[in-house]
Amino acid sequence: MPHPSPPGASTDERAGRHEERLRAAEEAVATSEARFRRAFDESPIGMSMSSADGRLLWVNTAFCELLGRSWAEVVGRRLDDFTDRDDLDMAARIRAQLIAGETTRSECELRHVRPDGSTVLVRLSMSVLSDPAHAEPPLVLGQVLDITEAREIEARLAYLASHDVLTGLPNRLLLLDRLAQAMHRRDRSGGEVAVLFLDLDDFKIVNDALGHAAGDEFLVEAGQRLRECVRPTDTVARLGGDEFVMVCEVASMDHVAPLCERVADVLALPYEVDGKSLTMSASIGVVVGDALHEPAELLRDADVAMYRSKADGRGRATLFTARLRAEAVERLEQEADLRVALREGQLEVHYQPVVSCTDGRVHGVEALVRWRHPERGLLLPAQFLPAAERSGLIAEVGTHVLARACIQLAAWQRTGSDLRVSINMSPRQLLDGAVVDIVLEACRAAGARPQGLIVELTENALIETLGNAGDRLRRLRETGVGVALDDFGTGYSSLQYLRDLPVDLVKIDRTFVRGLGRDDDGALAEAIVGLGGALDLTTVAEGVETAEQLRRVRAMGCDLVQGYLLGRPVPSDELDLTSRW
């Protein structure tokens, strides 16, 4: 508010003061304009001043750099001259709204074109500087921010969130979205949607033998083959590891089997990885979608069918049925019950005698686990050990059997008995780097001498753990623990194991004993006994159930014998340790 002139001031004095105030106001306006101009010109954000029709009246350096043009090339031209033609209508619309006074500020994203034809994505903010109702034409202030890199980063992050980094295929998130879209199209136009869940068989061998870099190369090639054997509208996704999923729209169920055959054939072609030619099969689970199921449910059911393919021998395709789901639910419940069994002590150890073929004396026993189920009664290993393997509980079950067997071994040793107790060891246990310490600690805790213990491993277990088995078995053997090769003759590298691994006993698989006295002339069993003798190994015939089978294995020169004829597995207090003949 202006200060009033003091009383008695002359006219000249009052006029002088008025002029002084005018100069001060003009200087303030000039200073404000200078500050605005400096902020406008030096702003790191592109700034422009344009007329109502979009003609550029003034721009700053940042605006020129953003367009890749000089100040003289920009000023005097319309902003539309530098805007991508597909964005012109949007830019004209928001400018018209501003000029008409419908809004005081508008913002949009559009593309500006540089002299070389490239585009830069910008966020354009526009506001009116003068009152639209004023007699003078309004001016429009524009602020332009280059958001090209930010949008590229956002697009990259969005891609990574929906795609597998290694293969570039869709991941689970995008797969479920594509599956939902395929189901919607099916509902509108008919046809079928087939979901194929694939797991490469024995892929772990590639990683173990050639390294993970070669394994990654293999997976990329497998994903590319799957992508090329279906239509562009179908989806091939990688869920992780060696698991792939395909979503294929087919005309009818009749097309599903040929599709599976085509996929299997493509994957079976040789791979050139790290200078080596490899082949690979896949276990496939198939489900055909319907409107009653959500995408995640279809994926789950295809996974269930794939595991059935694995269990049935691998390298095959299995169509999902309601029965498979019921079995999967049953397995899940069994795994939960097994955890309770371990926690509440429902697992028991029974012992089956191993008898000397020469004098009938009980030489030792094999410790065999049983589950005293509160509702289903006494369960045999085949009824629950597969669930233990799947759930990862097999090591805990094995440790439980080891502890109980060592306690019983110690009790027999305190009576002066020289009985040896055999326990079965799973591949998961042998893969544990602390397995030797675990065995010795179980003996120490029970007060048992390790010399009375034998660990049994199947040939399949040794195949899975061959890289680690030798050293750990040697360390066990050095402590006095015996090593037995179970199911001998069923693997493809038996002779290699006998030569390279520290084995004390070989147990002839029961399949070679079962036919003795009937159709089988016993040549294989006799050959195994002869091989064991030549290598100074103790031979044990398993599964002896008849007197004729017993007579034949004794005649072959087998050292020990085991089977229902000589004694069934029973609790330790029911075990008959007297001579069998």
Side-chain angles (χ1 to χ4, degrees), residues 118-153:
S118 63
T119 60
V120 56
L121 182 64
V122 302
R123 179 181 293 113
L124 172 62
S125 298
M126 293 190 292
S127 56
V128 176
L129 287 183
S130 54
D131 187 348
H134 196 274
E136 295 182 3
L139 296 178
V140 177
L141 176 66
Q143 295 177 303
V144 182
L145 178 65
D146 184 350
I147 59 172
T148 306
E149 184 177 356
R151 286 292 179 265
E152 289 175 351
I153 292 174

Coordinates of all heavy atoms in Angstrom, one line a residue, residues 118-153:
S118 N 14.7 -40.0 -35.7 CA 14.4 -40.7 -34.5 C 13.4 -39.9 -33.6 O 13.2 -38.7 -33.8 CB 15.7 -40.9 -33.7 OG 16.3 -39.6 -33.4
T119 N 12.8 -40.6 -32.7 CA 11.8 -39.9 -31.8 C 12.3 -39.9 -30.4 O 13.1 -40.8 -30.0 CB 10.5 -40.6 -31.9 OG1 10.6 -42.0 -31.5 CG2 9.9 -40.6 -33.3
V120 N 11.9 -39.0 -29.7 CA 12.1 -38.9 -28.2 C 10.8 -38.8 -27.5 O 9.9 -37.9 -27.9 CB 13.1 -37.7 -27.9 CG1 12.5 -36.4 -28.4 CG2 13.3 -37.6 -26.4
L121 N 10.6 -39.6 -26.6 CA 9.3 -39.6 -25.8 C 9.4 -38.5 -24.7 O 10.4 -38.5 -23.9 CB 9.0 -41.0 -25.2 CG 7.7 -41.1 -24.4 CD1 6.5 -40.9 -25.3 CD2 7.7 -42.5 -23.7
V122 N 8.4 -37.6 -24.6 CA 8.5 -36.5 -23.7 C 7.2 -36.5 -22.9 O 6.1 -37.0 -23.4 CB 8.7 -35.2 -24.4 CG1 10.0 -35.2 -25.2 CG2 7.5 -34.8 -25.2
R123 N 7.3 -35.9 -21.7 CA 6.1 -35.5 -21.0 C 5.9 -34.0 -21.1 O 6.8 -33.2 -20.7 CB 6.2 -35.9 -19.5 CG 4.9 -35.4 -18.7 CD 5.0 -35.8 -17.2 NE 5.0 -37.2 -17.0 CZ 6.1 -37.9 -16.5 NH1 7.2 -37.3 -16.3 NH2 6.0 -39.2 -16.4
L124 N 4.8 -33.5 -21.8 CA 4.6 -32.1 -22.1 C 3.6 -31.6 -21.1 O 2.4 -32.1 -21.0 CB 4.1 -32.0 -23.5 CG 3.6 -30.6 -24.0 CD1 4.8 -29.6 -23.9 CD2 3.1 -30.6 -25.4
S125 N 4.0 -30.5 -20.4 CA 3.0 -29.8 -19.5 C 2.8 -28.4 -20.1 O 3.8 -27.7 -20.4 CB 3.6 -29.7 -18.1 OG 3.8 -31.0 -17.5
M126 N 1.6 -28.0 -20.2 CA 1.3 -26.7 -20.8 C 0.3 -25.9 -19.8 O -0.6 -26.5 -19.3 CB 0.6 -26.8 -22.2 CG 1.5 -27.4 -23.2 SD 0.8 -27.3 -24.9 CE -0.5 -28.5 -24.8
S127 N 0.6 -24.6 -19.7 CA -0.3 -23.8 -18.9 C -0.4 -22.4 -19.6 O 0.5 -22.0 -20.3 CB 0.3 -23.6 -17.5 OG 1.6 -23.2 -17.5
V128 N -1.5 -21.7 -19.3 CA -1.8 -20.4 -19.9 C -1.2 -19.3 -19.0 O -1.5 -19.3 -17.8 CB -3.3 -20.2 -20.1 CG1 -3.6 -18.8 -20.7 CG2 -3.8 -21.2 -21.1
L129 N -0.4 -18.4 -19.6 CA 0.2 -17.3 -18.8 C -0.7 -16.1 -18.7 O -0.7 -15.4 -17.7 CB 1.5 -16.9 -19.5 CG 2.7 -17.9 -19.3 CD1 4.0 -17.3 -20.0 CD2 2.9 -18.2 -17.9
S130 N -1.5 -15.8 -19.8 CA -2.3 -14.6 -19.7 C -3.8 -15.0 -19.6 O -4.1 -16.1 -20.1 CB -2.1 -13.7 -21.0 OG -2.3 -14.5 -22.1
D131 N -4.6 -14.2 -19.1 CA -6.0 -14.5 -18.9 C -6.7 -14.6 -20.3 O -6.7 -13.7 -21.1 CB -6.7 -13.3 -18.1 CG -8.1 -13.7 -17.7 OD1 -8.6 -14.6 -18.2 OD2 -8.6 -12.9 -16.9
P132 N -7.4 -15.7 -20.5 CA -8.1 -15.9 -21.8 C -9.1 -14.8 -22.1 O -9.4 -14.5 -23.3 CB -8.7 -17.3 -21.7 CG -7.9 -18.0 -20.7 CD -7.5 -16.9 -19.7
A133 N -9.6 -14.2 -21.0 CA -10.7 -13.1 -21.2 C -10.0 -11.8 -21.6 O -10.7 -10.8 -21.9 CB -11.5 -13.0 -19.9
H134 N -8.7 -11.6 -21.4 CA -8.0 -10.4 -21.7 C -8.0 -10.1 -23.2 O -8.1 -11.0 -24.0 CB -6.6 -10.5 -21.2 CG -5.9 -9.1 -21.1 ND1 -5.2 -8.6 -22.1 CD2 -5.8 -8.3 -20.0 CE1 -4.7 -7.4 -21.8 NE2 -5.1 -7.2 -20.5
A135 N -7.9 -8.9 -23.6 CA -7.9 -8.5 -25.0 C -6.8 -9.1 -25.8 O -6.9 -9.4 -26.9 CB -8.0 -7.0 -25.1
E136 N -5.6 -9.2 -25.1 CA -4.4 -9.8 -25.8 C -4.6 -11.3 -25.9 O -5.1 -11.9 -25.1 CB -3.2 -9.4 -25.0 CG -2.9 -7.9 -25.0 CD -1.6 -7.6 -24.2 OE1 -0.9 -8.6 -23.8 OE2 -1.3 -6.4 -24.1
P137 N -4.0 -11.9 -27.0 CA -4.1 -13.3 -27.2 C -3.3 -14.0 -26.1 O -2.2 -13.5 -25.6 CB -3.4 -13.5 -28.5 CG -3.4 -12.2 -29.2 CD -3.4 -11.2 -28.2
P138 N -3.8 -15.1 -25.6 CA -3.1 -15.8 -24.5 C -1.8 -16.4 -24.9 O -1.6 -16.8 -26.1 CB -4.1 -16.8 -24.0 CG -4.9 -17.1 -25.3 CD -5.0 -15.8 -26.0
L139 N -0.8 -16.5 -24.0 CA 0.5 -17.2 -24.3 C 0.5 -18.5 -23.5 O -0.1 -18.7 -22.4 CB 1.7 -16.4 -23.8 CG 1.9 -15.0 -24.5 CD1 3.0 -14.3 -23.9 CD2 2.1 -15.2 -26.0
V140 N 1.1 -19.5 -24.1 CA 1.1 -20.8 -23.5 C 2.6 -21.2 -23.1 O 3.5 -21.1 -24.0 CB 0.6 -21.9 -24.5 CG1 0.7 -23.3 -23.8 CG2 -0.8 -21.6 -24.8
L141 N 2.8 -21.5 -21.9 CA 4.1 -21.9 -21.4 C 4.1 -23.4 -21.4 O 3.3 -24.1 -20.9 CB 4.3 -21.4 -19.9 CG 5.6 -21.9 -19.3 CD1 6.8 -21.3 -19.9 CD2 5.6 -21.6 -17.8
G142 N 5.2 -23.9 -22.1 CA 5.4 -25.4 -22.2 C 6.6 -25.9 -21.5 O 7.6 -25.2 -21.5
Q143 N 6.5 -27.0 -20.8 CA 7.6 -27.7 -20.1 C 7.7 -29.1 -20.7 O 6.7 -29.8 -20.7 CB 7.5 -27.7 -18.6 CG 7.4 -26.3 -17.9 CD 7.2 -26.5 -16.4 OE1 6.2 -27.0 -16.1 NE2 8.1 -26.0 -15.7
V144 N 8.9 -29.4 -21.2 CA 9.1 -30.7 -21.9 C 10.2 -31.5 -21.2 O 11.3 -31.0 -21.1 CB 9.4 -30.5 -23.4 CG1 9.6 -31.8 -24.1 CG2 8.4 -29.7 -24.1
L145 N 9.8 -32.7 -20.7 CA 10.8 -33.5 -20.0 C 11.0 -34.8 -20.8 O 10.1 -35.5 -21.2 CB 10.3 -33.9 -18.6 CG 11.2 -34.8 -17.8 CD1 12.5 -34.1 -17.5 CD2 10.4 -35.2 -16.5
D146 N 12.3 -35.1 -21.1 CA 12.6 -36.3 -21.9 C 12.4 -37.6 -20.9 O 13.1 -37.7 -19.9 CB 14.1 -36.3 -22.3 CG 14.5 -37.5 -23.2 OD1 13.7 -38.4 -23.3 OD2 15.6 -37.4 -23.8
I147 N 11.5 -38.4 -21.3 CA 11.2 -39.6 -20.4 C 11.5 -40.9 -21.2 O 11.1 -42.0 -20.8 CB 9.8 -39.6 -19.9 CG1 8.8 -39.6 -21.1 CG2 9.5 -38.4 -19.0 CD1 7.3 -39.8 -20.7
T148 N 12.3 -40.8 -22.3 CA 12.6 -41.9 -23.1 C 13.3 -43.0 -22.3 O 12.9 -44.2 -22.3 CB 13.5 -41.5 -24.3 OG1 12.8 -40.5 -25.1 CG2 13.7 -42.7 -25.3
E149 N 14.4 -42.7 -21.7 CA 15.1 -43.7 -20.9 C 14.3 -44.2 -19.8 O 14.4 -45.4 -19.5 CB 16.4 -43.0 -20.4 CG 17.3 -44.0 -19.6 CD 18.6 -43.3 -19.2 OE1 18.8 -42.1 -19.5 OE2 19.4 -44.0 -18.5
A150 N 13.5 -43.4 -19.1 CA 12.7 -43.9 -18.0 C 11.7 -44.9 -18.5 O 11.5 -46.0 -17.8 CB 12.0 -42.7 -17.3
R151 N 11.1 -44.6 -19.6 CA 10.1 -45.6 -20.2 C 10.8 -46.9 -20.6 O 10.3 -48.0 -20.5 CB 9.4 -45.0 -21.3 CG 8.3 -43.9 -20.9 CD 7.2 -44.6 -20.1 NE 6.2 -43.6 -19.7 CZ 6.2 -43.1 -18.5 NH1 7.1 -43.4 -17.6 NH2 5.3 -42.2 -18.2
E152 N 12.0 -46.8 -21.2 CA 12.8 -48.0 -21.6 C 13.1 -48.8 -20.4 O 13.0 -50.0 -20.4 CB 14.0 -47.5 -22.3 CG 13.8 -47.0 -23.7 CD 15.1 -46.5 -24.4 OE1 16.1 -46.4 -23.7 OE2 15.0 -46.1 -25.6
I153 N 13.5 -48.2 -19.3 CA 13.8 -48.9 -18.1 C 12.5 -49.6 -17.5 O 12.5 -50.8 -17.1 CB 14.4 -48.0 -17.0 CG1 15.8 -47.5 -17.4 CG2 14.4 -48.7 -15.6 CD1 16.4 -46.5 -16.5

